[in-house]
Amino acid sequence: MTNADERLAPPPGYRALFRHPVASRLVAARGVSELGDFVGLAALLLLAYDQTHSVLGPAAVYAARTLPALLVATVFSGWLDVPARRTLLVWLSVAGAVLIAVPATVPRPVPAIIAAGLLGAVRAAYSSVNVAVAAEAVDAPLRLPLFGLSAFANQVGQVTGLVAGASVTVALGPRVALLIDLVSFLIAAVVLAGLPTEPQHRRGPRPPATAGIRIIAGHPVLRGVALLTLATVLSGALPETLAPDLAAGAWRPVVLAASALGGAFFVLMVGRRAWLGRLAGQVAVAAALGGALLLAGVLVAVRAPLWAVAVANALIGAGGGWLIGAQATFARLAPPERMGQVEATIVAANIVVSGCGIFLLGGVAAVLSPAASYLTAGAVLLVVVLLARPDRLPTGPE
């Protein structure tokens, strides 16, 4: 029996990441793509609202992204490990450009909602194959910095892209913002086309849609990390969901953005630290996230100053950064030839749990109070941490 963290080498700095022929292109493409995606999302949200004059328009844009992504990550997940991964990433980027061209050409709610839904499918497939490429072509010590910078790009892209996209849409109209998103897809495709040609691996026939679930369920460490991941994403959007109810005026955007900023800072700082690549470090940060949720609940309950609530939200965002360690663990322990499907399974589970979780926690906030919602999320996560403890599990005989 060997420990799951045995033989883990300390990750190198980010400079080594940019010297790697695969990792450097994955990071560059992710950075461009994330920024463009959120610029385009802001345009789609404002377009839907302006055309419908109702919050149901933006809600439909968000909702439309969920079901197609879920189908890709479940029913069609077996196809993700069949074609050459470099080719698939390039064509997914091109497909994103084609889809965003539809609402750019016809800026109406229905094309915007349809495009948003299909883009959700493209994003789910792209994210899964991206991790599969990292698991197959990037050495283990470099994966944590790679996932850290990718998460940083997501958080910064979310904050910057939404602000920039909304500003461009208001000043110049949605077409300009959507064209920026289209160009970002094409730039990402060009960057990914420069990836080295992957060696021809025999991956066997297309596996069934349930293969990812069986791989995770059959590995005790992956099963424990998956449970912790689901307990984390359960409350992933809670700070942003509760912010409008907790803050007004100038403090509202601060409380709203605090979680994303805290997460961006955390993943950038710890992405090159060996301890987050280890299961013990991941469990410790997940437990700290549970504590941050409880702290936020207490602060809200006693009507603490809004700056204190913003700090608590930043700590929640930072605690959620442990998920880059979970990605590294999955990339290390899951079969490389099935990594696309395994990642797609986690993506699907995250979509379902985060959607249901934020609905239930929002109900707790509406029926009881926002403080009760934070406290419930923190208690659930801490219970799962105590029950799962994947750091205490061996990988099995080798």
Side-chain angles (χ1 to χ4, degrees):
M1 304 286 280
T2 57
N3 185 274
D5 286 334
E6 193 172 298
R7 298 187 304 276
L8 268 183
Y14 291 125
R15 195 170 295 176
L17 189 71
F18 287 105
R19 290 196 295 264
H20 192 279
V22 174
S24 59
R25 288 186 175 271
L26 290 179
V27 168
R30 190 67 178 263
V32 171
S33 179
E34 291 287 358
L35 181 60
D37 283 346
F38 285 108
V39 169
L41 177 60
L44 292 175
L45 293 174
L46 291 179
L47 172 62
Y49 180 80
D50 289 341
Q51 294 282 333
T52 62
H53 302 289
S54 169
V55 295
L56 294 179
V61 169
Y62 270 119
R65 294 157 63 93
T66 303
L67 181 58
L70 190 58
L71 288 175
V72 166
T74 52
V75 178
F76 301 108
S77 63
W79 291 98
L80 297 177
D81 289 314
V82 176
R85 286 169 175 164
R86 180 188 70 167
T87 303
L88 185 54
L89 284 177
V90 171
W91 280 111
L92 285 170
S93 296
V94 172
V98 172
L99 289 173
I100 206 66
V102 174
T105 305
V106 186
R108 295 288 185 271
V110 172
I113 292 169
I114 293 174
L118 296 176
L119 283 169
V122 169
R123 283 179 61 84
Y126 180 91
S127 176
S128 301
V129 178
N130 191 288
V131 173
V133 170
E136 190 172 56
V138 178
D139 296 334
L142 273 176
R143 290 177 197 151
L144 187 61
L146 172 60
F147 296 144
L149 273 186
S150 296
F152 178 75
N154 175 269
Q155 299 282 10
V156 173
Q158 181 175 346
V159 175
T160 307
L162 289 176
V163 172
S167 301
V168 170
T169 301
V170 170
L172 303 174
R175 276 199 176 98
V176 177
L178 293 172
L179 287 174
I180 292 173
D181 192 11
L182 187 153
V183 171
S184 75
F185 275 117
L186 296 179
I187 293 174
V190 171
V191 172
L192 293 168
L195 286 170
T197 303
E198 61 190 89
Q200 295 301 311
H201 296 285
R202 291 185 60 83
R203 296 180 185 141
R206 178 172 61 87
T210 57
I213 297 174
R214 292 205 300 268
I215 290 171
I216 295 171
H219 196 296
V221 175
L222 294 183
R223 188 168 62 242
V225 174
L227 288 174
L228 277 181
T229 297
L230 297 179
T232 297
V233 301
L234 180 76
S235 57
L238 189 59
E240 291 83 1
T241 302
L242 298 180
D245 188 58
L246 296 176
W251 276 105
R252 178 170 287 179
V254 176
V255 175
L256 184 66
S259 177
L261 292 174
F265 180 79
F266 179 83
V267 296
L268 187 64
M269 292 297 103
V270 305
R272 52 185 180 179
R273 306 295 182 202
W275 63 271
L276 193 61
R278 301 181 182 278
L279 289 163
Q282 295 164 29
V283 171
V285 180
L289 170 59
L293 287 163
L294 295 180
L295 173 63
V298 171
L299 291 174
V300 172
V302 300
R303 299 183 183 278
L306 289 177
W307 65 262
V309 177
V311 170
N313 278 352
L315 292 175
I316 292 171
W322 84 268
L323 292 175
I324 67 171
Q327 280 189 307
T329 296
F330 268 87
R332 178 162 53 92
L333 299 180
E337 69 277 6
R338 293 286 174 256
M339 190 61 217
Q341 189 170 19
V342 169
E343 179 67 15
T345 301
I346 289 296
V347 169
N350 287 351
I351 289 171
V352 173
V353 171
S354 61
C356 295
I358 204 61
F359 178 78
L360 294 174
L361 291 173
V364 171
V367 174
L368 298 176
S369 68
S373 186
Y374 275 120
L375 293 172
T376 301
V380 169
L381 179 54
L382 289 177
V383 168
V384 175
V385 168
L386 291 174
L387 293 178
R389 292 308 303 265
D391 55 318
R392 294 179 176 177
L393 298 173
T395 57
E398 293 188 345

